[in-house]
């Protein structure tokens, strides 16, 4: 079989054959659920709009199911896989392609900006992944907050997490992840994917979501980091009013009176909860506090 062209992956028979040949043992800690449904692969690839112009970063290639297809469509594919036991498998399943680079690493340990700049060669890259659930939020936040030069992120994630990224204020799933994703990108749920599309079957449903990076952020705010501190503090204590949530937060230096004034100044009721605020309202609140910080940093001595 060594020098024969590899059968195309993405169906149960070939996937099971590979797993048996290598006595591969699934690692639960790495969230290993391999895709075995060609229609789902087609949907991911269509949503990602991959062309020969693109440099693609694939996170967690597994046995190379999506990687094979990506290699046929993209200019280049860089696949980062944490599990050393998968590397010899990838070397076999991807041997027919010369435009693939396999990196054995934990994606969270890499300098993603440097990697994206190297593989993109001046162009924004596309990120594609069937993400293990435990790294979904950290990796998406890292890609956005570190300003990695990306064009889009098309990922399979837990269904509830996809919904959280897309919803607006006042719904139970709305939270810090929704606001961060919507600040940097336009989310669009491409497809729901049931557990029987994977080996082994996950316990929960999955969804494919495409996050298209905005040219500029969705709102203008003077201090982005402060806005996200306010957002996190508001949702850390969802059941509390915004005023209590912000005054209990160790990451914010403001007094209860200053917080009350800020809430009133941006036109919100005293008892408002953080989960009802839009991105624009969080930005207005952050700008109010930035002005306050500025005033405190440069006290007008003459007034005393
Ligand atoms: N892309 C393959 C597919 O669709 O069949 C595999 C998807 S499986 C849900 C997740 C993959 O990510 C596994 O191959 C796993 O070993 C890998 N992985 C898990 N944590 C990782 C990390 N921190 N860095 C890189 N790869 C990781």
């Amino acid at each position: 079989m060594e020098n024969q062209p590899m059968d195309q992956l993405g169906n149960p028979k070939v996937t099971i054959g590979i797993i048996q040949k290598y006595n591969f043992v699934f690692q639960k800690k790495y969230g290993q659920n391999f895709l075995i449904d060609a229609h789902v692969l087609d949907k991911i690839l269509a949503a990602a709009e991959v062309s020969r112009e693109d440099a693609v970063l694939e996170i967690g290639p597994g046995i190379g199911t999506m990687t094979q297809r990506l290699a046929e469509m993209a200019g280049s594919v860089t696949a980062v896989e944490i599990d050393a036991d998968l590397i010899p498998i990838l070397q076999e399943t991807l041997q027919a392609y010369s435009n693939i680079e396999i990196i054995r690493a934990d994606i969270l340990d890499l300098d993603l900006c440097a990697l994206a700049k190297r593989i993109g060669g001046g162009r924004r890259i596309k990120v594609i992944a069937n993400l293990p659930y435990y790294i979904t939020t950290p990796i998406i936040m890292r890609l956005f907050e570190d300003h990695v030069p990306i064009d889009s992120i098309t990922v399979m994630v837990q269904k509830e997490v996809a919904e959280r990224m897309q919803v607006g204020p006042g719904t139970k799933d709305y939270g810090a992840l929704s606001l961060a994703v919507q600040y940097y990108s336009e989310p669009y749920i491409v497809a729901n994917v049931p557990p029987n599309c994977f080996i082994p079957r996950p316990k929960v449903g999955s969804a494919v979501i495409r996050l298209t990076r905005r040219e500029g952020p969705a709102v203008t705010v003077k201090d982005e980091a402060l806005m996200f501190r306010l957002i996190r503090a508001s949702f850390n204590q969802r059941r509390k009013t915004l005023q209590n949530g912000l005054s209990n937060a160790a990451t914010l230096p403001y007094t209860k009176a200053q917080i009350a004034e800020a809430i009133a100044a941006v036109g919100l009721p005293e008892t408002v909860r953080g989960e009802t605020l839009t991105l624009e309202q969080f930005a207005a609140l952050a700008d109010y506090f930035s002005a306050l910080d500025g005033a405190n940093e440069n006290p007008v001595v003459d007034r005393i």
Side-chain angles (χ1 to χ4, degrees):
M1 175 153 179
E2 291 248 319
N3 295 319
Q4 298 294 312
M6 185 69 217
D7 282 339
Q8 204 159 65
L9 297 165
N11 66 71
K13 192 166 159 266
V14 180
T15 303
I16 290 168
I18 292 277
I19 285 163
Q20 286 175 343
K21 179 178 171 190
Y22 284 87
N23 287 323
F24 178 73
V25 180
F26 286 95
Q27 300 278 343
K28 220 174 171 178
K29 66 177 176 190
Y30 294 146
Q32 289 173 340
N33 302 99
F34 297 161
L35 251 176
I36 48 162
D37 188 306
H39 298 298
V40 176
L41 283 166
D42 291 341
K43 280 188 187 162
I44 297 173
L45 294 165
E49 295 178 302
V50 175
S51 77
R52 284 279 176 226
E53 308 287 294
D54 292 315
V56 172
L57 169 63
E58 188 191 5
I59 302 165
I63 60 169
T65 307
M66 193 140 61
T67 329
Q68 282 186 339
R69 303 277 202 99
L70 286 170
E72 279 160 19
M73 297 168 74
S76 71
V77 186
T78 300
V80 178
E81 174 55 59
I82 196 169
D83 188 348
D85 290 348
L86 288 168
I87 304 302
I89 301 182
L90 289 166
Q91 279 160 353
E92 180 187 334
T93 59
L94 305 176
Q95 66 184 335
Y97 306 97
S98 56
N99 57 346
I100 298 180
E101 175 191 19
I102 302 167
I103 300 176
R104 218 291 291 164
D106 180 339
I107 190 75
L108 296 172
D109 288 343
L110 298 183
D111 177 341
L112 295 176
C113 262
L115 179 66
K117 281 181 188 150
R118 175 174 69 77
I119 67 182
R123 297 180 65 117
R124 290 184 183 193
I125 65 159
K126 289 188 171 162
V127 177
I128 299 180
N130 171 9
L131 277 181
Y133 299 139
Y134 81 104
I135 60 165
T136 301
T137 304
I139 194 66
I140 289 176
M141 294 314 298
R142 188 88 66 84
L143 288 165
F144 285 136
E145 287 181 349
D146 293 355
H147 298 278
V148 178
I150 49 168
D151 168 72
S152 62
I153 306 175
T154 306
V155 281
M156 174 97 69
V157 296
Q158 205 172 326
K159 189 169 176 277
E160 285 72 27
V161 179
E163 280 159 7
R164 229 180 288 159
M165 292 188 213
Q166 213 188 20
V167 292
T171 53
K172 76 168 176 26
D173 290 330
Y174 186 59
L177 182 66
S178 332
L179 284 154
V181 162
Q182 292 165 29
Y183 177 70
Y184 292 109
S185 74
E186 288 179 67
Y188 158 63
I189 293 181
V190 176
N192 287 323
V193 183
N196 63 6
C197 295
F198 305 89
I199 292 181
R201 290 184 185 195
K203 289 200 178 69
V204 293
S206 306
V208 179
I209 188 163
R210 175 177 161 141
L211 311 174
T212 309
R213 188 173 187 119
R214 295 176 188 275
E215 279 309 314
V219 295
T220 309
V221 60
K222 287 194 191 77
D223 185 344
E224 199 175 284
L226 172 61
M227 180 177 77
F228 282 110
R229 282 210 300 284
L230 293 169
I231 289 173
R232 286 198 185 97
S234 312
F235 288 100
N236 272 347
Q237 298 184 305
R238 273 192 100 95
R239 299 275 121 237
K240 293 209 162 36
T241 61
L242 178 65
Q243 188 172 338
N244 284 338
L246 298 186
S247 44
N248 291 343
T251 51
L252 297 168
Y254 311 112
T255 64
K256 207 160 185 170
Q258 286 173 324
I259 291 166
E261 275 169 33
I263 290 172
V266 300
L268 291 168
E270 208 182 321
T271 54
V272 72
R273 282 177 195 272
E275 64 196 13
T276 66
L277 265 65
T278 62
L279 195 50
E280 288 75 11
Q281 287 168 322
F282 275 113
L285 207 54
D287 282 349
Y288 179 92
F289 285 120
S290 291
L292 195 70
D293 294 343
N296 291 342
E297 267 165 30
N298 308 302
V300 184
V301 180
D302 292 353
R303 260 201 337 231
I304 301 171

